[in-house]
Amino acid sequence: MQKFCTCSCYYTENLFLEQYKLHVRFISEEQFKTDYRHILRSLGCATDAQYNAVLEKIHSETARRRNLAAQSAERKLTIKQTYKPLHQHVYRFQESFLAPEFVEIVKYSREDGASEEGVLERITAEAAPRVYRFPMFTQEFCKDLVEELEHFERSEAPKGRPNTMNNYGILLDELGLDEGLITPLRELYLKPLSSLLYPDCGGKWLDSHKAFAVKYTLNEDLDLSYHYDNAEVTLNVSLGKVFTEGNLYFGDMRQVPLSETECVEVEHRVTEAVLHRGQHMHGALPISSGCRWNLVLWMRASRQRNLLCPMCNRSPRLQPSDGYGDGFTEEDTGLCVLT
């Protein structure tokens, strides 16, 4: 069985300062001051007190990341022992959860001789270059899943933050939805599709994931800043409930500066999925009313990322991790897999 790992850059790279919409690297206070003090000043961080508040947030986030695995395991155990699900059936995958159109797309993707061209003929829309939108779930399943998420949100069970950019949402692994729902969805349905659409960036080799639900509502998170994902392929499904505006937007790949990019807006409709490359820069515009839940699945291919960490652009420096880690794997010898 594969042993999944994390690249050590997770503890130092891509730290998000929400107030300044800036991703930063932190090795030491001296390095950080040299690299970012002038940038922060230009963004409004003018006083020593403001700068010290930034340092406090950085130290807090790095500490959170180093303790994340242990704290997540503790939360998961507590949830399993104390939380009573509202809709037990959503924890076990059933093909009836899926929109018939999506089932047909995947059925074709599994056939001998299936091709990218054939898949594209069956997909609703190419919403932006290599960004695909299609029906994913039934209305009934989306309603039940949102009700389960909100039931958990109201409970006394401990809750982890989905990622550094989303403050409100739920880690599906901690809730117990990973093994029974998300893993078969990735392995049996999304991998055959990604194999045809993204063979150049690991779509054939997806072997792990990070799954979470995010919530956008007034007085909480309204939008999501321009960014790329720690994934080879990303699935983003709009689950509901009722909201206005809040479309996604896509630029170019991460190597292309925003100043040289023309962004394309993509409507995000309830029950529909948007599938894209993880390194494709994107964001979410603010909702203007209501509440929206999204299911996000960062799918990873160790065969791809073992060669080059997508977050630091270096050969990964492996650290032991629980579960899927960040999708890197090591051989029994302890060496990074390079082929």
Side-chain angles (χ1 to χ4, degrees):
M1 190 171 179
Q2 289 178 307
K3 171 62 177 175
F4 286 94
C5 301
T6 295
C7 178
S8 63
C9 76
Y10 177 68
Y11 306 111
T12 59
E13 311 278 340
N14 295 289
L15 301 160
F16 185 61
L17 299 175
E18 184 174 4
Q19 181 178 354
Y20 303 102
K21 307 299 182 186
L22 183 67
H23 283 90
V24 299
R25 177 173 181 252
F26 185 88
I27 304 297
S28 66
E29 291 194 8
E30 182 178 354
Q31 165 268 323
F32 184 79
K33 182 177 181 179
T34 299
D35 291 348
Y36 298 107
R37 187 68 175 99
H38 63 294
I39 298 174
L40 287 166
R41 190 176 289 115
S42 72
L43 295 174
C45 180
T47 68
D48 288 343
Q50 289 173 318
Y51 182 72
N52 289 334
V54 167
L55 287 178
E56 185 177 342
K57 288 181 179 179
I58 290 288
H59 286 302
S60 176
E61 173 58 20
T62 54
R64 185 192 72 86
R65 292 189 181 195
R66 293 192 180 279
N67 296 323
L68 185 62
Q71 292 177 351
S72 180
E74 184 177 333
R75 286 193 300 266
K76 186 174 181 179
L77 179 60
T78 301
I79 291 166
K80 184 176 181 179
Q81 292 173 341
T82 63
Y83 175 68
K84 296 182 179 180
L86 177 66
H87 293 306
Q88 189 67 56
H89 66 279
V90 303
Y91 288 77
R92 186 63 55 182
F93 177 82
Q94 302 172 42
E95 191 168 86
S96 61
F97 296 164
L98 304 176
E101 300 93 327
F102 179 64
V103 174
E104 288 302 311
I105 292 170
V106 175
K107 181 179 178 181
Y108 169 78
S109 300
R110 294 170 178 162
E111 293 178 0
D112 292 339
S115 65
E116 179 183 4
E117 293 75 17
V119 170
L120 294 179
E121 290 175 1
R122 292 162 170 81
I123 285 180
T124 302
E126 184 178 20
R130 301 193 74 184
V131 177
Y132 305 105
R133 189 181 65 206
F134 46 83
M136 180 79 189
F137 294 128
T138 65
Q139 287 277 1
E140 181 180 8
F141 174 73
C142 288
K143 179 182 73 68
D144 288 350
L145 183 55
V146 168
E147 288 179 358
E148 181 64 38
L149 296 171
E150 293 189 334
H151 179 66
F152 175 71
E153 188 181 42
R154 291 190 297 269
S155 76
E156 298 297 322
K159 300 164 184 73
R161 185 179 176 186
N163 55 66
T164 59
M165 298 185 72
N166 292 104
N167 295 298
Y168 299 92
I170 295 167
L171 290 160
L172 300 190
D173 175 53
E174 293 185 4
L175 184 52
L177 286 163
D178 227 29
E179 184 176 351
L181 177 68
I182 301 300
T183 297
L185 179 64
R186 168 177 57 81
E187 291 182 345
L188 302 177
Y189 292 84
L190 295 169
K191 185 176 178 180
L193 183 58
S194 296
S195 295
L196 296 174
L197 294 177
Y198 304 114
D200 55 325
C201 56
K204 290 184 177 181
W205 314 110
L206 302 176
D207 56 358
S208 71
H209 61 261
K210 177 178 179 179
F212 51 94
V214 293
K215 179 186 177 186
Y216 300 94
T217 189
L218 302 182
N219 301 318
E220 295 183 3
D221 285 341
L222 290 175
D223 57 7
L224 189 62
S225 298
Y226 197 56
H227 68 285
Y228 60 91
D229 298 334
N230 187 0
E232 274 62 69
V233 180
T234 294
L235 177 83
N236 188 333
V237 187
S238 178
L239 300 173
K241 302 163 44 176
V242 177
F243 56 90
T244 55
E245 301 188 34
N247 286 340
L248 304 179
Y249 61 95
F250 287 84
D252 211 316
M253 297 302 283
R254 59 175 288 197
Q255 297 83 1
V256 181
L258 179 58
S259 60
E260 301 175 12
T261 298
E262 182 176 347
C263 291
V264 176
E265 192 169 330
V266 176
E267 186 178 359
H268 212 191
R269 303 169 183 168
V270 175
T271 76
E272 289 193 350
V274 173
L275 190 71
H276 61 88
R277 294 164 291 175
Q279 302 294 292
H280 196 154
M281 298 292 295
H282 60 286
L285 296 169
I287 63 168
S288 57
S289 67
C291 173
R292 184 177 80 192
W293 282 93
N294 286 51
L295 170 65
V296 179
L297 185 55
W298 288 352
M299 295 180 283
R300 292 151 171 177
S302 61
R303 185 162 177 168
Q304 182 87 9
R305 61 181 40 219
N306 283 349
L307 299 172
L308 188 73
C309 173
M311 305 307 286
C312 66
N313 286 322
R314 296 190 292 266
S315 179
R317 295 153 293 163
L318 300 183
Q319 299 284 324
S321 186
D322 295 330
Y324 286 134
D326 269 353
F328 303 92
T329 57
E330 63 178 6
E331 296 176 325
D332 292 339
T333 59
L335 299 176
C336 177
V337 179
L338 297 178
T339 59

